[in-house]
Amino acid sequence: MDFKELTLIIPAKDEEYSLPKVLNEILRLNCKKTIVLDASDKKTIHSIKNYNCKIIKQKKPGYGNAIIEGVNATNTKYLCIFNADGSFDPKNLKTMLKIAIIKKSYIFGSRYISGGGSNDDSLLTFIGNKIFTFIKCALFRLNLSDILFTYIMGETNKFKKLNLRNSDFRICVEIPIKIKVNNFQYTSFPSFERKRLGGLKKVNEFIDGSLILLELIKNFFTAYEK
Ligand SMILES: Nc1nc2c(ncn2[C@@H]2O[C@H](COP(=O)(O)OP(=O)(O)OP(=O)(O)O)[C@@H](O)[C@H]2O)c(=O)[nH]1
Ligand SMILES: [Mg+2]
């Protein structure tokens, strides 16, 4: 198995306290690393000037656009969405890649299966994550235990075929629904969510939570496939 065939897409906005530590941790991994930076963010780019990574300044704002632009710029066979805040444990990457290759499937890191967990969940996010995952899996018959973690690895050409459109955090629900609609294989892998290393979270539980819920309902009626 060759890490050279993997690109980590690292979306980052105001992560000057976390991203250098994240890069230190993954420095020795022989995969490509593409940082997709919010265009207004000057501090993060300064904080990583000594690291040799590909940096893309996103053209359109929002987390979703960062993922879309990162996917479009990737030319390795596999890619993985990898947060810049330290919450994703890189020790999972090797096994995730192995499974992606053997099963030809997308891998979803999951906090809520045996072997996974979280240091970062509050009671609110724990309950919210459970409810959203339940609603989504019931509505779309998806067999996933954690839809909002977004530690997702898969084949780059299959990501490109999803034709992702959401500019913000709603892309977290668009990805698995479209994987299901396209009949692509997917599976879960236990992962432990660590606390962010520094800086502030960008997700607002109420605003983004409501948007995600509305997106789920909208998709139930319009479904991307119809
Ligand atoms: N390029 C880019 N990255 C973003 C944007 N919004 C969020 N991110 C990054 O996306 C990742 C996920 O955002 P977080 O703020 O960690 O969201 P979260 O995991 O719900 O929040 P925490 O619980 O604090 O970790 C982080 O690496 C952010 O820096 C954006 O608009 N543009
Ligand atoms: Mg985070």
Side-chain angles (χ1 to χ4, degrees), residues 10-15 19 35-39 41 44 56 58 60-67 81-88 111 120-121 125 148-149 167-169 193-205:
I10 308 177
K13 181 179 181 183
D14 302 333
E15 298 289 5
L19 186 54
I35 294 154
V36 191
L37 264 187
D38 178 71
D41 182 353
T44 304
I56 299 177
Q58 61 186 107
K60 294 188 199 159
Y63 171 82
N65 279 325
I67 299 299
I81 301 170
F82 197 83
N83 279 357
D85 63 354
S87 56
F88 291 179
R111 296 164 285 186
D120 198 36
D121 251 354
T125 56
L148 298 182
F149 194 31
S167 59
D168 52 34
F169 281 101
E193 180 185 33
R194 308 179 301 184
K195 269 199 184 313
R196 61 163 43 253
L197 290 165
L200 299 171
K201 73 188 293 153
K202 315 297 166 318
V203 171
N204 179 303
E205 275 102 355

